[in-house]
Amino acid sequence: MPVLAIARPVSVGHLLERVDIREVEISAAEAVATLPAEQAASVLGRPMATSLTVGALLTPSSIGSSTIPAAGQSVVAVGLKAGQFPPELAPGAPVVVVLAASTPNTPLAAGQSSSDGPAWPATVTGLSKAEAEQTTVISLQMPSATAPALARVPAGQVTLVMVAGGER
């Protein structure tokens, strides 16, 4: 059956345009949530509720009001330069936020010793490259209890490590 899929990466809040979606043929059980290709016109101009990568199937729950941040979570923006994050980084990627140098009065994550320095698990929710400044602003969803500590870290002291989904 023909359904809608993502043709280029889209982030939370992005208003869908025709170039963002494409038609794909799949065979799926009725219980699999998809949007039929014939509904393409009805999704154009609507905001994304979540970030999706190329090839992801569009579902009814991926369109509409934002589901980010989730309950108990916050979104923190960090401005990073090349070399402070993997170039393959995309929305939805699980990461560990690591400080380049230990900062006094920064709480440690569970199971960390003071010699390890702070590190926090997070999920990338968006990326925005500022060409003129050679900085990429990366939005990270993380537990609300640790988000303020990351927000207080001075610019240039954060590195992102991309990890497999269950290895945080």
Side-chain angles (χ1 to χ4, degrees), residues 81-103:
K81 295 188 183 300
Q84 292 180 288
F85 63 95
E88 305 83 6
L89 203 62
V95 296
V96 175
V97 181
V98 180
L99 291 186
S102 184
T103 305

Side-chain angles (χ1 to χ4, degrees), residues 55-99:
L57 297 179
L58 211 50
T59 66
S61 63
S62 61
I63 302 196
S65 299
S66 173
T67 57
I68 295 176
Q73 300 282 301
S74 295
V75 175
V76 178
V78 292
L80 302 177
K81 295 188 183 300
Q84 292 180 288
F85 63 95
E88 305 83 6
L89 203 62
V95 296
V96 175
V97 181
V98 180
L99 291 186

